[in-house]
Amino acid sequence: LRDLPSFERVVVEETYVRFSLNDGRIVLMPLDWSTPLANATPEQRQAFKVSPWNVFWDDLDEIIGVEHLLYGQRLW
């Protein structure tokens, strides 16, 4: 995990989440990759916490890790 870049900034847009990583990359993830995010209200989507390698939406029971973004895997 230590070899992975970490999150610097997370912005939830209307149809995607934009993740800025500490190595300069910006990764866009479509909301429909995450059923909980796709079905959430705009307010619920904005209620997240960021750690170095994960983003947590506690109310939605959703966690997105930097490894999911880098490997481009749909969340189940």
Side-chain angles (χ1 to χ4, degrees), residues 59-76:
D59 292 344
L60 302 175
D61 195 28
E62 179 68 299
I63 301 171
I64 296 176
V66 71
E67 68 276 11
H68 294 112
L69 297 176
L70 296 179
Y71 296 119
Q73 298 174 346
R74 183 182 177 94
L75 303 173
W76 300 104

Side-chain angles (χ1 to χ4, degrees), residues 12-62:
V12 179
E13 303 287 345
E14 188 174 326
T15 59
Y16 62 87
V17 184
R18 180 169 27 107
F19 300 90
S20 299
L21 305 177
N22 71 341
D23 64 1
R25 285 184 276 184
I26 296 174
V27 180
L28 302 178
M29 185 195 86
L31 286 177
D32 65 4
W33 275 21
S34 163
T35 301
L37 287 176
N39 293 331
T41 66
E43 293 79 19
Q44 289 173 313
R45 291 178 186 151
Q46 296 301 325
F48 60 87
K49 298 174 194 166
V50 180
S51 77
W53 295 282
N54 294 290
V55 181
F56 304 92
W57 283 266
D58 290 337
D59 292 344
L60 302 175
D61 195 28
E62 179 68 299

